[in-house]
Amino acid sequence: MLYLIGNWKMAPEKNIQVIDLVKKTNEIAKLYKKSITTIVCPPAVFLPIVKKNIKVPLGIGSQGVAASDAVAQTGLISASMIKESGAQYVIIGHSEMRARGDSNANVKDQLTRLFEKKLTPIVCIGEKTRDEQGWYLSEVKDQLETVYGDLAPLQAKKIILAYEPVWAIGAQADRAATPAECREMTIFIRKFLSDKYGEKIAKAMPILYGGSADEFNAKSFLEEGTADGFLIGRVSLDPKRLGALAKTINK
Ligand code: PEP
C-alpha cells in the first residue's frame, strides 16, 4: 500500500472551499483505495468540518500537536483535542514547524503524546541543505536517532516517515530532489532502521518522499527513488492535479 498525504498548510480560507476540496478528495481516495491510502491534513480549525464531510476511505490528520498537555500554551492544540476531533494522523517535525522553533527534542515529546492517544504519527525529517562531503547525512541521522532512539519495534512500526529535504519544499524551492537523491536517502534511512529493528521490520516501514512532488515526477520517485508514497503540499489543494498524481501512483 502506498501513501498520499496532503498537507493543506494554511489553506483554503473558507468553509465552502474546504467542503468542496474534501468532497473532491473523497472521490480520488475512493477511486484508488486498493493501492493508495489517502489522507488530508487541514488547518486545525477545519478538522470538525472536514470530519463531517469526509467519507471512508479518506483519512484525516492534524498538522501538529503540543509537546506537553499543559493547558497554558496559547495557540497550540493537544493530542486529546485532536483525538476528540476525529483525526487519526498527525504531522510532526515538518520543516516549517522546525523553522518556527520545534527542536528534535520537541518532536520526540510530540511523538510521545501521539502514542499516548493512539494517534498515528507522520514524522518529517530532512536536511536543510546539501553539501559535497555528505555532512547532511549526519543531520538526518540525528533526527532519526531522536525519533527512534528508545522506541520498541511495536511503536516504531506505527510511524509513517516522510523524507522531506527542506530545500525542495514549497513554492520557493529551486527544484525537487532527484530520484537518485531520494534513493540515496531511503537507503540510508532503511539501513538505520534495519540495524535497529532488523531487515524484516525495516522493509515494512513506509518512507515517503516530500518536496515539490507532482504528477510528472511521482513515477520516478516511486521506481528509482524507492519511495512508498508522498507527502504533498501545493498539489493537495488542486483536485485535478491531485487526481492526476493519484492516477500516476496507482499505475
Ligand atoms: C510540504 O510542505 O510538506 C511539501 C512537500 O510541500 P510541496 O509539495 O508544496 O513542496
Side-chain angles (χ1 to χ4, degrees):
M1 185 61 90
L2 298 168
Y3 286 89
L4 185 53
I5 304 178
N7 175 10
W8 291 2
K9 307 195 184 186
M10 212 166 75
E13 290 189 345
K14 301 203 180 306
N15 286 343
I16 190 166
Q17 296 168 316
V18 171
I19 294 169
D20 183 58
L21 186 55
V22 180
K23 287 189 173 163
K24 288 176 176 154
T25 310
N26 276 334
E27 294 309 311
I28 295 166
K30 192 171 150 200
L31 204 57
Y32 300 108
K33 68 176 181 197
K34 286 206 178 112
S35 58
I36 308 172
T37 298
T38 308
I39 299 160
V40 288
C41 301
V45 71
F46 291 135
L47 284 171
I49 194 172
V50 170
K51 178 67 189 167
K52 203 168 152 203
N53 288 280
I54 212 161
K55 287 208 180 107
V56 176
L58 185 59
I60 173 171
S62 162
Q63 292 176 20
V65 65
S68 91
D69 291 333
V71 173
Q73 299 192 80
T74 306
L76 299 188
I77 55 170
S78 69
S80 311
M81 291 169 182
I82 294 168
K83 189 84 184 177
E84 187 68 16
S85 77
Q88 309 132 286
Y89 302 86
V90 182
I91 298 173
I92 58 173
H94 192 280
S95 62
E96 287 159 13
M97 300 286 272
R98 291 184 191 263
R100 289 204 302 278
D102 273 2
S103 61
N104 277 346
N106 286 134
V107 174
K108 180 67 175 181
D109 289 340
Q110 292 164 0
L111 184 65
T112 306
R113 300 291 84 73
L114 300 186
F115 282 136
E116 284 166 2
K117 293 294 169 212
K118 298 194 166 40
L119 290 159
T120 301
I122 301 163
V123 180
C124 304
I125 57 166
E127 76 282 1
K128 288 192 207 70
T129 52
R130 286 228 167 184
D131 58 87
E132 293 290 310
Q133 291 74 32
W135 290 109
Y136 60 92
L137 292 172
S138 55
E139 190 179 347
V140 172
K141 189 157 183 247
D142 281 350
Q143 295 170 338
L144 287 169
E145 267 164 2
T146 316
V147 170
Y148 292 97
D150 58 352
L151 276 195
L154 216 60
Q155 286 186 312
K157 277 186 343 191
K158 294 194 175 117
I159 294 176
I160 300 169
L161 194 66
Y163 167 58
E164 295 211 309
V166 181
W167 48 269
I169 296 174
Q172 74 292 340
D174 294 337
R175 62 173 180 91
T178 63
E181 286 165 336
C182 177
R183 185 189 177 85
E184 176 204 54
M185 197 55 91
T186 52
I187 290 172
F188 180 77
I189 294 168
R190 241 185 252 293
K191 168 87 170 68
F192 174 93
L193 295 171
S194 158
D195 288 347
K196 195 159 172 57
Y197 300 109
E199 200 180 317
K200 192 167 167 235
I201 292 180
K203 266 190 182 158
M205 291 171 157
I207 304 174
L208 318 190
Y209 170 76
S212 304
D214 59 25
E215 63 275 39
F216 306 109
N217 58 26
K219 190 168 180 275
S220 49
F221 278 120
L222 296 178
E223 288 175 358
E224 195 191 334
T226 71
D228 298 312
F230 299 95
L231 177 57
I232 49 165
R234 287 158 292 167
V235 174
S236 67
L237 297 168
D238 180 337
K240 271 207 181 106
R241 294 191 64 194
L242 184 69
L245 173 56
K247 193 173 173 188
T248 309
I249 296 176
N250 185 54
K251 276 188 194 155

